[in-house]
Amino acid sequence: DDLEKNLQLTLYQLAAEQTWHLPVERLTLYHLRSNTPCSCAARDEARLEEARHLVLEVAQNITDGKFLATENQYCPCDFAEYCPYYRQKVTPLEEVDILRGMAVDEAVEHYVSLQSQIKELESQLDEIKQMIISFCQAEGLNRVYGREHAITYRLMDKTGFSEDEVRGLLEPEGLWQRVLSLDQSRLKQLITDEAIAKDVGPECTRVWTVEYHSFSSVSYRQLVEMTKDGIAGAVVQGNHFFRLNGSSARVNPHVTG
Ligand code: SF4
């Protein structure tokens, strides 16, 4: 089957017929280590035409510079100096000043180092975010203030089933498999199914609301702009709001109630 699909053999047949003007009767590959011949019938005209078409297409793409390199287990090959993946490694390029005076290896290392700093900062950010959320929850606050910035915290309602709770309800009834990985639309169908125990359906509906955390930070200046535009009113909730002090940009937190 592999021999039938082998493009190399098809190309050899094309080359032989074109060069020697003789029809090819059989195609044979030799396994050199064991000197074993593996033969098959010659390709028909349709297969040869297909191969001709492929050769012309690849040649045209190379001419047009559209021959994309595809990395594989044999990389780097003997043509690494022409390959976009390896060319810069095997043949150092002439300096081109698009890196604003920075050597390319320096730029690469700098980029990777920045990426790892971002990762580290994201982890710190997450940690401090959790601390602030805990503080807001413990103190019953929706907003906390720094020297120049404020952070608004509020619990949002998100519609959807809570997977853990629904699983707890369905598993004892042997129904969990029917909504495995919690397909929300299938769960809705199941609740209306006659097969479901009478009290499980209403219980699933009860856990329809899921809580998640919304967390946003803005500078005082942005808060002033948002308030002017009437946007802040949309984020300030409950009895917590901002009072602007006259024309100055100072924000004065004021809690009513
Ligand atoms: S080194 Fe480049 S050209 Fe050579 S096989 Fe790999 S990707 Fe293709």
Side-chain angles (χ1 to χ4, degrees), residues 83-95:
C83 173
Y85 290 105
Y86 292 90
R87 185 158 52 100
Q88 191 255 333
K89 189 169 171 61
V90 296
T91 358
L93 305 176
E94 280 179 27
E95 291 295 322

Side-chain angles (χ1 to χ4, degrees), residues 44 47 95 118 234:
D44 61 16
R47 293 280 306 281
E95 291 295 322
I118 287 172

Side-chain angles (χ1 to χ4, degrees), residues 3-29 39-52 55:
L3 279 186
E4 293 296 335
K5 291 180 190 157
N6 190 292
L7 178 63
Q8 192 178 356
L9 277 179
T10 314
L11 295 179
Y12 287 165
Q13 179 178 341
L14 267 180
E17 290 185 338
Q18 206 166 307
T19 309
W20 295 307
H21 304 288
L22 290 171
V24 171
E25 287 181 359
R26 292 187 72 69
L27 297 168
T28 303
L29 270 184
S39 299
C40 65
R43 309 292 192 238
D44 61 16
E45 191 47 38
R47 293 280 306 281
L48 293 176
E49 189 51 37
E50 208 177 286
R52 265 187 220 107
V55 170

Side-chain angles (χ1 to χ4, degrees), residues 181-230:
S181 82
L182 195 60
D183 181 323
Q184 302 269 343
S185 62
R186 285 176 64 195
L187 177 57
K188 281 183 203 163
Q189 280 174 10
L190 184 64
I191 290 171
T192 56
D193 193 324
E194 305 253 314
I196 194 166
K198 290 220 172 342
D199 52 343
V200 178
E203 276 302 284
C204 285
T205 311
R206 188 184 62 74
V207 295
W208 164 257
T209 299
V210 182
E211 285 181 341
Y212 78 102
H213 299 293
S214 154
F215 200 75
S216 62
S217 68
V218 287
S219 68
Y220 276 3
R221 181 191 291 272
Q222 285 170 306
L223 263 179
V224 171
E225 293 303 320
M226 286 164 72
T227 311
K228 272 186 199 158
D229 293 339

Side-chain angles (χ1 to χ4, degrees), residues 69-72 75-77 83 85-86:
T70 308
E71 279 200 289
N72 57 73
C75 294
C77 68
C83 173
Y85 290 105
Y86 292 90

Side-chain angles (χ1 to χ4, degrees), residues 13 35-37 47 87 109 129 175 197 239 251:
Q13 179 178 341
N35 201 23
T36 312
R47 293 280 306 281
R87 185 158 52 100
E109 296 310 325
K129 175 180 166 181
L175 296 167
N239 54 4
V251 177

